[in-house]
């Protein structure tokens, strides 16, 4: 029988202790790293330096500066309209996954290119592999259903020569598949990560976008504009987050001995019961829920493995020793 899920508490309203962005944005240092950011930095109503987070160009410039200052990424760009994610939150996922692997390795984080990570839905931004490789020197394979996104991610690696041979990409040929079609018979991964689309439809995604605009007390340039970025496959999936993750769990069973930990972000707390039921149905040996907190936003990662204790011990000695 599968184990009952366990919950790892988060440090309240704080980023992960190893997150380089815990102290907030030092715009003076960021402008030094990327002078083009300067045109977007203004003094806000609280007399602090900031950028207009409703301006996609400002957010992109901020990301470029953060990636350059903290992760040595000299060249980074994304096509217009694609998701431009907040760097601190993405870094949190990576750090918590390092802790997850450490928990299976006598408390020591396995580092270096011997650690293989599969990023499901790498996106045009390629942010998870960029952070994970910079901080822990992990080797990444990124998959996506969007050819433009894969091409963009490849270009980021191409224009940063230090990443050569460290991040690979595969186009997922079937939108209904997660692991089928991109995981080969001889592949072995220590970890999979995923930030799944959580809206059930374009209409719901647009409503969520409107709430973001309202929170910033701004109006988009056009009705229903997704000015915060994100293509349809990045934002919504038929049946929403739960349907996507349940499909992932079903397919993970087929590759149960080729991966140590399967993981995914879960945005909606209401999705958890359905996720746990599906993990029970596929007989996951161990399930963990890792809570993360970024200011007022609470999210969590669900992780599962099909490896028995003996198999985990052998995996650690074979791949991480």
């Amino acid at each position: 029988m599968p184990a009952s899920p366990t919950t790892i508490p988060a440090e309240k309203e704080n980023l992960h202790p190893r997150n380089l962005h815990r102290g907030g944005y030092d715009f003076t240092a960021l402008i030094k790293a990327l002078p083009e950011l300067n045109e977007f930095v203004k003094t806000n109503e609280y007399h602090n330096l900031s950028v207009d987070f409703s301006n996609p160009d400002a957010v992109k410039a901020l990301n470029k500066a953060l990636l350059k200052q903290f992760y040595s990424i000299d060249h980074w760009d994304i096509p217009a309209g694609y998701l431009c994610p907040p760097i601190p939150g993405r870094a949190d996922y990576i750090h918590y996954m390092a802790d997850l692997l450490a928990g299976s390795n006598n408390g020591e984080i396995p580092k270096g290119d011997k650690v293989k990570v599969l990023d499901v839905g790498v996106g045009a931004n390629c942010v998870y592999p960029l952070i994970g490789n910079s901080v822990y020197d992990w080797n990444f394979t990124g998959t996506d259903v969007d050819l433009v996104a894969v091409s963009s991610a490849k270009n980021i690696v191409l224009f940063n020569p230090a990443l050569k041979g460290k991040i690979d990409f595969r186009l997922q040929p079937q939108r209904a598949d997660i692991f089928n079609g991109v995981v080969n018979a001889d592949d072995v991964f220590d970890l999979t990560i995923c930030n799944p689309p959580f809206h059930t439809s374009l209409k719901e995604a647009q409503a969520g976008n409107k709430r973001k605009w309202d929170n910033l007390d701004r109006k988009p340039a056009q009705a229903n504009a997704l000015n915060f970025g994100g293509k349809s496959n990045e934002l919504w999936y038929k049946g929403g987050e739960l349907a996507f993750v349940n499909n992932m769990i079903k397919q993970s069973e087929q590759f149960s001995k080729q991966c140590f930990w399967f993981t995914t972000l879960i945005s909606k707390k209401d999705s958890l019961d359905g996720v746990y039921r599906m993990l029970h149905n596929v007989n996951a040996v161990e399930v963990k829920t890792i809570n993360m907190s970024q200011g007022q936003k609470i999210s969590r990662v669900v992780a599962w493995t099909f490896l028995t204790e003996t198999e985990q011990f052998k995996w650690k000695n074979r791949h991480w020793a």
Side-chain angles (χ1 to χ4, degrees):
M1 292 293 291
S4 300
T6 58
T7 299
I8 301 172
E11 183 178 355
K12 187 175 181 181
E13 294 189 1
N14 275 319
L15 295 171
H16 188 280
R18 289 194 303 278
N19 195 313
L20 299 175
H21 312 291
R22 282 176 59 115
Y25 299 134
D26 181 345
F27 283 100
T28 301
L30 289 169
I31 291 170
K32 184 176 181 181
L34 188 79
E36 68 185 74
L37 176 64
N38 186 54
E39 68 174 289
F40 301 105
V41 176
K42 310 293 180 185
T43 303
N44 63 19
E45 59 186 299
Y46 303 106
H47 306 291
N48 297 320
L49 293 179
S50 186
V51 299
D52 180 358
F53 286 94
S54 68
N55 182 342
D57 293 331
V59 174
K60 183 188 287 191
L62 175 60
N63 274 12
K64 284 184 178 181
L66 290 168
L67 289 168
K68 187 169 185 179
Q69 181 186 0
F70 292 99
Y71 305 106
S72 302
I73 304 301
D74 290 326
H75 302 281
W76 182 86
D77 199 3
I78 55 174
Y82 279 77
L83 191 64
C84 190
I87 302 300
R90 296 305 194 259
D92 247 29
Y93 190 179
I94 293 296
H95 289 302
Y96 278 109
M97 294 304 91
D99 291 345
L100 176 68
L101 295 182
S104 303
N105 192 43
N106 301 320
E108 182 179 350
I109 298 172
K111 299 179 180 180
D113 59 9
K114 60 189 175 183
V115 179
K116 311 295 184 184
V117 183
L118 180 69
D119 182 359
V120 176
V122 64
N125 58 75
C126 194
V127 164
Y128 286 126
L130 297 179
I131 295 173
N133 179 260
S134 174
V135 178
Y136 298 112
D137 198 25
W138 294 341
N139 186 287
F140 280 81
T141 298
T143 71
D144 209 288
V145 299
D146 188 326
L147 180 58
V148 174
V150 171
S151 297
S152 171
K154 284 182 176 179
N155 282 335
I156 291 171
V157 172
L158 179 65
F159 288 110
N160 290 277
L163 297 174
K164 184 178 180 181
K166 298 181 178 181
I167 306 174
D168 191 20
F169 303 97
R170 298 175 188 176
L171 180 68
Q172 170 56 266
Q174 299 294 331
R175 288 180 177 269
D177 281 330
I178 310 295
F179 301 116
N180 292 326
V182 289
V183 177
N184 302 320
D186 58 347
D187 281 331
V188 175
F189 294 104
D190 302 286
L191 178 71
T192 74
I193 60 175
C194 181
N195 188 357
F198 55 89
H199 294 300
T200 60
S201 66
L202 177 59
K203 183 178 180 180
E204 183 179 293
Q206 290 170 336
N209 187 69
K210 183 179 183 301
R211 285 194 296 272
K212 290 181 180 180
W213 282 109
D214 291 343
N215 289 339
L216 289 172
D217 194 25
R218 297 284 193 278
K219 290 185 178 181
Q222 61 187 54
N224 295 326
L226 293 171
N227 286 0
F228 285 88
K231 293 295 182 179
S232 60
N233 57 283
E234 295 177 308
L235 298 175
W236 68 275
Y237 182 86
K238 186 177 180 180
E241 174 183 72
L242 181 58
F244 185 96
V245 173
N246 278 350
N247 187 20
M248 177 186 293
I249 293 170
K250 288 178 185 177
Q251 291 193 21
S252 71
E253 187 178 17
Q254 179 182 340
F255 302 95
S256 60
K257 303 306 179 183
Q258 290 180 244
C259 179
F260 195 134
W261 284 106
F262 296 91
T263 81
T264 182
L265 280 167
I266 298 292
S267 296
K268 300 178 180 180
K269 187 177 181 181
D270 292 345
S271 298
L272 288 175
D273 286 344
V275 169
Y276 294 151
R277 282 194 297 271
M278 182 60 68
L279 287 168
H280 178 84
N281 290 341
V282 299
N283 295 311
V285 171
E286 188 175 359
V287 177
K288 294 185 178 182
T289 304
I290 302 165
N291 291 330
M292 302 192 301
S293 175
Q294 294 130 36
Q296 298 300 314
K297 181 181 178 182
I298 304 295
S299 60
R300 70 282 306 158
V301 175
V302 173
W304 66 98
T305 184
F306 295 96
L307 302 184
T308 64
E309 186 174 343
T310 299
E311 290 171 329
Q312 291 183 27
F313 180 78
K314 290 180 178 179
W315 184 292
K316 176 187 69 173
N317 289 334
R318 183 167 64 247
H319 297 285
W320 303 340

